[in-house]
Amino acid sequence: MISNLTTDRIPELVPMALAFHEASGFLGDLLPRHWVESWTTLLESGYGFILVDDGDDGGPVGGIGGFIVPDTNDGVLIAHEAFWYVDPEGRGSGLQLLDAFLATAAHLGAGRAQLSHTQTLRPKALGRLYKRMGFQPMDMNYVKELA
C-alpha cells in the first residue's frame, strides 16, 4: 500500500537509501544521520514529500521522494524527484510509486515534474519509460569531487 511517509518513519528508509547509493555509484558517502536530518527538514518545511510502499509485513519495500520549488526561469512549481527505489524482493510497485509521485506533485500545485536516473542503473530502459510517459530529455549532469 502506498502512503505518505511521516518524519518519524524516515529512518526506516535508510537501508534502502544505502542500497541505492551503493548500486548507483554516486560519489561520496551516504551518511545516514545526515540523510535522515535532510529529509526531515524537507518534509517539515512543506517542500519535500516521500511516498512509501509498505510490504505485507508493514515495513517499507519501496519509496520515492522529491521536493517542489518554483522554477527559476518562470516561477512554475516544479516537482524534482530525488530518489526512487524498490527493494529487489519488492519489485513490482515501482510504477505505482511513480504514478503516485506525479499525482501528489500535481495535488500540491506542481505544474511540472523532473525525473532523473543514474548512468549505472538501467539508464536506457528508464529513458524509454520516461519518454513514453511524455517526459523530454533536458540535462546531462557531470559530477566531480573538488576536495
Side-chain angles (χ1 to χ4, degrees):
M1 178 174 165
I2 296 173
S3 61
N4 283 305
L5 190 77
T6 54
T7 56
D8 60 307
R9 292 194 60 206
I10 293 173
E12 295 177 35
L13 297 185
V14 167
M16 282 192 290
L18 289 166
F20 175 74
H21 188 270
E22 183 178 330
S24 70
F26 285 141
L27 297 179
D29 296 325
L30 186 144
L31 305 174
R33 181 175 167 197
H34 179 75
W35 191 86
V36 169
E37 289 172 357
S38 295
W39 278 104
T40 298
T41 299
L42 278 169
L43 268 61
E44 288 176 347
S45 74
Y47 291 110
F49 64 99
I50 297 175
L51 302 169
V52 64
D53 178 18
D54 286 315
D56 296 334
D57 65 357
V61 296
I64 189 168
F67 52 92
I68 298 176
V69 294
D71 188 303
T72 56
N73 294 316
D74 62 11
V76 171
L77 291 179
I78 184 166
H80 295 266
E81 171 258 327
F83 73 87
W84 176 26
Y85 184 79
V86 179
D87 280 333
E89 302 82 36
R91 298 275 156 92
S93 64
L95 291 178
Q96 293 171 349
L97 281 164
L98 181 56
D99 288 342
F101 176 87
L102 297 173
T104 299
H107 176 74
L108 294 173
R112 291 188 192 110
Q114 179 175 321
L115 305 177
S116 60
H117 61 73
T118 68
Q119 292 298 311
T120 57
L121 298 174
R122 304 182 57 218
K124 290 181 182 178
L126 285 171
R128 287 190 304 269
L129 170 67
Y130 294 167
K131 287 177 186 176
R132 277 196 313 269
M133 294 178 74
F135 287 86
Q136 302 172 38
M138 295 306 265
D139 289 324
M140 173 64 125
N141 297 306
Y142 293 83
V143 180
K144 175 184 176 180
E145 292 282 358
L146 297 177

